[in-house]
Amino acid sequence: MEDKAQIHEAIKVQGELVRKLKSEKANKEQIDEEVAKLLELKAQLGGDDGKHQFVLKTAKGTRDYNPRQMAIREKVFNTIIGCFKRHGAETIDTPVFELKETLTGKYGEDSKLIYDLKDQGGELLSLRYDLTVPFARYLAMNKITNIKRYHIAKDFDIAGQYDAMIPDAECLKIVHEILSELELGDFCIKVNDRRILDGMFAVCGVPIDKFRTICSTVDKLDKMAWADVKKEMVNEKGLSEEVADQIGEYVSMQGGMDLAERLLQDQKLSQSKQACAGLSDIKLLFSYLQLLQVTDKVVFDLSLARGLDYYTGVIYEAVLTQTGVGLGSTEAQQEAHAEDSVSVGSVAGGGRYDGLVGMFDPKGRKVPCVGVSIGIERIFSIMEQKAEASAEKVRTTEVQVMVVSAQKNLLQERLKLVSDLWNGGVKAEMMYKKNPKLLSQLQHCEEAGIPLVAILGEQELKDGVVKLRVVSTREEFDICRADLLAEIRRRTSEA
């Protein structure tokens, strides 16, 4: 009884928390998580027969998508796939899990986020953490040295020995195209180079065995203030305050090609051959980006680190900003924009990983690679929020024409016509009733956003025509049955 009393009290407290979050219009995901906890508590009480109640919910970290959400999601996918195909990519697929040893040691501190599966037939497996490591494994296994691929509408990669920064520039152009086409709002693409970071760590006095772990700490600057990042470097990672302060001076710098030129003359940084190689490539990259007309959104940002261990050169990350001001072409304009804008999260990221394929190749043969991953879930959430805020009508089907009847006993004629339309490649539907009311059929078209209605009546059948109705204007035209397919195609292509 005491346990039940405790559960009742916990339910009361959890219920109050859910009501509070709803009244404050908190994030939907946060509310859903707390509601799930409330349901679990209620299930612990059991039913009247004392049995544990079965709770209907999705597994933690997963969600269902309703037709409206899927329509938005499909639009996002189609935009991204269309861009990848426009740039000449072919597609591959790899399993959702890999041998554990394939993934081990590739992600640095992010390795703790890998989910292990139970032993399957004597093999230790893990769910893939990203699509880059499986891609590198695929290249090594199949002895592929050149490919431009996209993967499940999320990753785009270019593998092969090419002249410096040309494929890298194309990856940034792709990010620019996708974010512009999706109209998510103002965005900024931050660019840096792992060699610049490593060179900076070296000249600032970071021990070489701490490069990767300090890199992971710098990577938190988009979420934490410098004071907190410095605290982690000193208190948790064992750096001296003097070394941390030197790093702080560099990671506060932002600009464009002019910043790269200035840093090549920097008394301290120029002592590192690694950093100089990275800075020269950043200069070259910006010269190509100017030709590709994307420098208005790109900024050279020394605080960008990207914590994954496999990056070897250029790295980049796209973030949405809350202001409507684009990045200027001069360093001063870019720095001013950086102060005014507020980041609302990363929506794409990537970089160069020239050493990853060689880790899997038996002979250690290297295949230079560069790629970008699109943050599909975050983009989808933003698109969904925008649709809800604007209350815009989202079509959940692609039906072009609804076949309806104006009188009773015309089911067979409707079936014949809808079959002709399907055979002709037209997206069509009809109601599954023998004698539906004309008004209810027309209302369905308006509610579902179906643009055209093909109306059959006794007179139309006698005359060998179909009455075609335009839903938006309610205009009606008699179309010869033989010409109906061509007329529907003409009208839907114009729309």
Side-chain angles (χ1 to χ4, degrees):
M1 287 297 290
E2 191 178 330
D3 285 346
K4 279 205 170 186
Q6 288 175 340
I7 294 170
H8 276 296
E9 183 59 31
I11 287 170
K12 182 182 173 185
V13 172
Q14 189 65 21
E16 286 172 359
L17 174 60
V18 169
R19 284 190 290 276
K20 182 172 178 284
L21 290 172
K22 286 181 176 177
S23 68
E24 292 173 351
K25 295 183 179 176
N27 182 285
K28 185 180 180 298
E29 289 178 4
Q30 188 183 358
I31 292 172
D32 288 347
E33 191 177 328
E34 297 305 330
V35 167
K37 289 178 185 176
L38 180 60
L39 290 172
E40 283 176 8
L41 285 168
K42 287 181 176 179
Q44 288 176 33
L45 289 175
D48 294 336
D49 56 1
K51 290 181 181 176
H52 188 82
Q53 286 184 332
F54 183 71
V55 179
L56 289 174
K57 68 184 191 89
T58 58
K60 192 172 182 180
T62 66
R63 61 178 294 191
D64 291 324
Y65 296 94
N66 63 37
R68 186 174 186 274
Q69 291 168 326
M70 281 306 298
I72 297 169
R73 192 176 178 85
E74 197 169 61
K75 179 186 174 185
V76 173
F77 272 122
N78 289 343
T79 300
I80 294 169
I81 291 172
C83 180
F84 289 165
K85 287 184 174 181
R86 187 162 61 243
H87 285 262
E90 51 195 347
T91 188
I92 68 165
D93 199 2
T94 57
V96 295
F97 48 79
E98 294 277 346
L99 291 176
K100 185 176 180 179
E101 64 191 59
T102 300
L103 304 180
T104 302
K106 309 299 188 301
Y107 301 107
E109 294 189 6
D110 277 11
S111 291
K112 59 181 177 284
L113 301 177
I114 295 172
Y115 286 93
D116 291 336
L117 303 176
K118 287 186 177 178
D119 186 317
Q120 301 290 317
E123 294 183 327
L124 291 174
L125 305 178
S126 298
L127 287 176
R128 65 185 180 207
Y129 178 69
D130 66 356
L131 294 172
T132 307
V133 171
F135 175 55
R137 188 265 305 152
Y138 174 87
L139 293 181
M141 237 176 95
N142 294 284
K143 296 181 171 58
I144 295 170
T145 55
N146 292 73
I147 189 173
K148 185 189 288 190
R149 70 98 198 213
Y150 73 88
H151 197 151
I152 321 175
K154 183 183 173 184
D155 271 32
F156 177 94
D157 297 86
I158 301 171
Q161 191 75 51
Y162 302 110
D163 288 336
M165 294 299 104
I166 300 173
D168 309 66
E170 185 174 10
C171 284
L172 291 170
K173 173 69 171 174
I174 284 167
V175 175
H176 189 283
E177 284 181 19
I178 289 170
L179 296 183
S180 299
E181 198 172 334
L182 288 173
E183 298 180 330
L184 298 171
D186 191 39
F187 63 90
C188 158
I189 305 172
K190 298 177 182 181
V191 177
N192 200 5
D193 193 298
R194 267 296 174 78
R195 293 167 297 173
I196 298 171
L197 281 166
D198 285 352
M200 175 185 73
F201 294 150
V203 299
C204 289
V206 177
I208 194 164
D209 61 335
K210 290 190 176 180
F211 278 16
R212 289 287 70 85
T213 187
I214 295 302
C215 192
S216 293
T217 302
V218 171
D219 193 42
K220 297 175 183 177
L221 274 168
D222 61 336
K223 301 178 188 75
M224 292 163 53
W226 165 249
D228 296 320
V229 168
K230 178 185 172 182
K231 193 174 178 182
E232 184 177 308
M233 285 180 178
V234 175
N235 296 351
E236 295 178 32
K237 305 291 174 78
L239 285 191
S240 69
E241 288 212 14
E242 184 190 351
V243 170
D245 286 336
Q246 287 182 59
I247 293 171
E249 287 178 25
Y250 283 112
V251 297
S252 63
M253 295 180 181
Q254 287 186 347
M257 189 191 289
D258 47 354
L259 175 60
E261 288 170 343
R262 200 169 79 224
L263 288 172
L264 279 166
Q265 306 304 316
D266 182 85
Q267 192 173 359
K268 196 157 50 176
L269 203 56
S270 61
Q271 293 172 16
S272 166
K273 286 183 180 179
Q274 249 190 326
C276 289
L279 288 164
S280 296
D281 273 353
I282 289 287
K283 272 185 65 180
L284 184 60
L285 177 66
F286 267 86
S287 70
Y288 294 149
L289 294 176
Q290 284 175 347
L291 296 170
L292 296 176
Q293 301 173 357
V294 297
T295 48
D296 61 318
K297 299 290 185 186
V298 182
V299 60
F300 175 28
D301 186 335
L302 267 76
S303 73
L304 179 66
R306 293 194 64 77
L308 297 175
D309 273 6
Y310 52 63
Y311 290 121
T312 57
V314 166
I315 49 175
Y316 34 84
E317 189 162 280
V319 294
L320 296 186
T321 53
Q322 288 177 340
T323 58
V325 186
L327 282 169
S329 55
T330 69
E331 187 178 332
Q333 287 173 310
Q334 288 168 339
E335 286 174 351
H337 177 274
E339 288 174 14
D340 294 341
S341 64
V342 181
S343 169
V344 293
S346 168
V347 288
R352 179 157 286 280
Y353 51 101
D354 289 348
L356 193 54
V357 178
M359 289 184 185
F360 299 111
D361 191 284
K363 295 183 180 176
R365 285 172 293 208
K366 289 190 176 181
V367 177
C369 295
V370 64
V372 62
S373 178
I374 307 298
I376 203 88
E377 296 303 328
R378 183 163 288 183
I379 287 174
F380 167 61
S381 295
I382 294 162
M383 296 282 283
E384 189 182 356
Q385 287 166 20
K386 282 183 72 176
E388 285 176 5
S390 65
E392 68 175 276
K393 192 161 183 140
V394 178
R395 281 203 69 189
T396 57
T397 76
E398 294 183 9
V399 174
Q400 297 165 303
V401 59
M402 178 89 176
V403 176
V404 312
S405 52
Q407 287 107 14
K408 291 183 177 181
N409 303 318
L410 292 176
L411 173 62
Q412 290 181 332
E413 296 300 333
R414 281 191 293 139
L415 285 167
K416 285 180 191 174
L417 180 54
V418 79
S419 181
D420 287 346
L421 294 177
W422 288 334
N423 291 342
V426 172
K427 294 166 184 171
E429 71 170 352
M430 54 170 265
M431 280 196 170
Y432 304 137
K433 283 187 174 182
K434 285 185 179 179
N435 298 307
K437 292 178 181 176
L438 180 60
L439 184 60
S440 64
Q441 294 172 92
L442 296 178
Q443 280 177 336
H444 171 75
C445 294
E446 296 203 356
E447 288 165 6
I450 298 169
L452 297 171
V453 187
I455 304 172
L456 287 173
E458 290 169 3
Q459 190 60 49
E460 283 80 13
L461 289 168
K462 284 178 187 174
D463 296 343
V465 299
V466 173
K467 196 177 288 296
L468 198 62
R469 178 185 173 98
V470 180
V471 175
S472 59
T473 62
R474 301 191 177 180
E475 294 174 279
E476 294 181 348
F477 310 90
D478 283 345
I479 308 294
C480 177
R481 184 77 175 248
D483 299 332
L484 183 63
L485 270 173
E487 183 65 17
I488 289 171
R489 287 187 188 127
R490 183 183 72 79
R491 289 184 176 273
T492 51
S493 66
E494 285 176 2

